[in-house]
């Protein structure tokens, strides 16, 4: 825990510019070859019917239309470039924390920038729902969204993607915690055709709060959960009395880190917490990527995407 960091527009813009420079310069170079993005394989969402042509896959015959028109028709599928990617971005106050090279909030923006780059590169539309903390007086942040959630409609193009990222980076932090379950459920309403859903959070809310919405989301969409972690959330260093501030409540605590039993209990509790998060995501069928504030997050993301691509290729090879 640490004091909340001021999120001024100038700082947000500077952080975003630095992150986008990293993404555009390194991501394309590390992910070499023709790669469409995070969405797997050819589209499978049903589209319009058209007349059969020699060479068409007969497994895609649209028999009801064929019977009605007496002319063979096949059902087209929506191509990857026509599908949507949606981000659920958690900006709870607990993310204004970091003891590594990055704040957790900056890592959230970094993950959003990388996913956006891959999405736009593949020609897809991208939209987002942003958790802005507990709602004030139950007011809705944007029309059609739950209280405390900002909705940005899915649009194609780099200019629109830049605007989306600027909005994410410039969204101020409120005291308290976003209802992660409500945020994820905002991707289920209204129902959307098949696509990619990416949930970016530290997942510190109880799994019982967000597990069911993630499972519901996975029924129709490919789901990627990006968990951001700081090393001090996993173990305490031996630095004597450590004053810490809870960013969600503002309460000040002093922790005697010289006590080895305390450090062991803390590490055990942290491991159990992270294990519960991983178990819930696995049970929901979501792909799980963990990014740390003290590691090369871009390399970790590239390795993850490459591994996912390899797994899909291996799964389709006979």
């Amino acid at each position: 825990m640490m004091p909340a960091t001021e999120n001024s527009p100038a700082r947000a813009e500077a952080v975003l510019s630095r992150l986008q420079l990293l993404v555009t310069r390194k991501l394309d170079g590390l992910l070499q070859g023709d790669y469409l993005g995070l969405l797997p394989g050819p589209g499978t969402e049903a589209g319009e019917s058209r007349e059969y042509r020699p060479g068409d896959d007969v497994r895609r015959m649209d028999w009801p239309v064929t019977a009605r028109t007496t002319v063979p028709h096949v059902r087209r599928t929506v191509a990857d470039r026509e599908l949507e990617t949606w981000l659920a971005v958690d900006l709870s106050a607990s993310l204004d924390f970091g003891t590594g090279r990055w704040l957790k909030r900056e890592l959230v923006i970094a993950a959003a920038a990388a996913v956006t780059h891959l999405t736009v590169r593949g020609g897809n539309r991208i939209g987002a729902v942003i958790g802005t903390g507990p709602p004030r007086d139950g007011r809705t942040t944007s029309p059609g969204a739950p209280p405390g959630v900002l909705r940005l409609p899915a649009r194609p193009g780099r200019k629109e993607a830049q605007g989306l990222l600027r909005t994410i980076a410039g969204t101020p932090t409120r005291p308290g915690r976003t209802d992660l379950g409500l945020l994820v459920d905002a991707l289920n309403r209204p129902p959307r055709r098949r696509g990619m859903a990416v949930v970016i959070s530290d997942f510190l809310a109880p799994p019982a709060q967000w597990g069911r919405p993630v499972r519901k989301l996975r029924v129709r969409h490919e789901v990627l959960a990006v968990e951001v972690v700081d090393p001090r959330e996993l173990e305490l260093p031996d630095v004597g009395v450590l004053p810490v501030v809870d960013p969600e409540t503002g309460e000040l605590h002093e922790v005697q880190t010289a006590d080895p039993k305390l450090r062991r209990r803390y590490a055990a509790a942290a491991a159990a917490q992270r294990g519960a998060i991983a178990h819930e995501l696995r049970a929901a069928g979501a792909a799980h990527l963990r990014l740390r504030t003290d590691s090369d997050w871009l390399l970790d993301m590239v390795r993850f995407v490459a591994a996912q691509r390899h797994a899909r290729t291996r799964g389709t090879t006979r």
Side-chain angles (χ1 to χ4, degrees):
M1 295 180 285
M2 66 180 295
T5 302
E6 182 183 358
N7 185 42
S8 66
R11 175 182 170 82
E13 188 69 27
V15 169
L16 181 58
S17 297
R18 181 166 57 133
L19 290 170
Q20 286 185 300
L21 188 62
L22 281 173
V23 169
T24 54
R25 282 188 175 181
K26 291 187 177 181
L27 197 58
D28 284 338
L30 292 170
L31 283 174
Q32 296 177 358
D34 183 16
Y35 183 64
L36 294 179
L38 290 172
L39 284 167
T44 57
E45 178 71 13
E48 297 178 354
S49 293
R50 63 166 173 78
E51 289 189 15
Y52 173 86
R53 299 169 188 165
D56 284 340
D57 189 343
V58 295
R59 292 174 296 181
R60 299 198 182 279
M61 292 294 297
D62 191 335
W63 296 112
V65 175
T66 298
R68 187 169 63 250
T69 62
T70 70
V71 176
H73 277 70
V74 292
R75 174 71 69 175
R76 293 188 299 179
T77 56
V78 179
D80 280 346
R81 65 181 182 275
E82 298 170 337
L83 297 178
E84 289 182 352
T85 296
W86 278 85
L87 304 174
V89 183
D90 179 9
L91 293 180
S92 296
S94 64
L95 290 149
D96 281 328
F97 169 69
T99 61
R101 288 184 284 177
W102 305 90
L103 294 176
K104 290 201 298 179
R105 180 189 176 96
E106 293 171 346
L107 211 53
V108 167
I109 298 170
V115 172
T116 299
H117 177 72
L118 288 172
T119 299
V120 173
R121 184 180 176 220
N124 295 320
R125 295 185 297 272
I126 187 160
V129 291
I130 307 171
T132 58
R136 297 175 180 175
D137 304 323
R139 288 182 293 179
T140 300
T141 306
S142 59
V149 174
L150 175 63
R151 188 190 302 276
L152 306 176
R155 294 191 176 102
R158 294 186 181 277
K159 182 179 179 180
E160 288 73 13
Q162 290 287 332
L164 179 142
L165 289 173
R166 285 195 179 95
T167 301
I168 293 174
T171 299
T173 300
R174 296 177 183 168
R177 171 162 293 283
T178 297
D179 186 327
L180 187 56
L182 196 67
L183 178 65
V184 173
D185 208 38
L187 296 183
N188 289 314
R189 301 174 185 176
R192 299 180 178 87
R193 67 186 186 186
R194 176 187 170 276
M196 184 82 183
V198 183
V199 183
I200 311 174
S201 174
D202 56 11
F203 290 93
L204 292 182
Q209 181 191 98
W210 49 262
R212 185 174 181 180
V214 172
R215 287 194 295 273
K216 182 180 177 183
L217 191 65
R218 180 64 182 86
V219 170
R220 187 156 181 79
H221 306 282
E222 295 289 328
V223 178
L224 168 61
V226 181
E227 178 191 5
V228 295
V229 181
D230 187 84
R232 295 290 78 83
E233 294 174 328
L234 304 177
E235 59 183 8
L236 288 174
D238 183 0
V239 292
V241 177
L242 179 66
V244 293
V245 176
D246 186 334
E248 295 190 356
T249 65
E251 294 182 359
L252 176 65
H253 305 272
E254 289 188 348
V255 180
Q256 178 51 267
T257 62
D259 184 350
K261 292 183 179 179
L262 174 64
R263 296 200 306 275
R264 284 196 297 269
R265 289 198 304 270
Y266 182 92
Q273 181 186 45
R274 297 299 166 179
I277 293 169
H279 173 78
E280 192 69 31
L281 292 173
R282 202 162 45 244
H288 182 195
L289 169 61
R290 179 177 291 172
L291 300 179
R292 292 174 54 120
T293 61
D294 62 340
S295 66
D296 187 338
W297 63 268
L298 191 54
L299 183 57
D300 291 340
M301 178 164 278
V302 167
R303 286 171 175 165
F304 174 83
V305 172
Q308 292 288 101
R309 177 172 55 178
H310 176 70
R312 292 180 189 127
T313 304
R314 185 176 55 187
T316 57
T317 301
R318 295 181 181 178

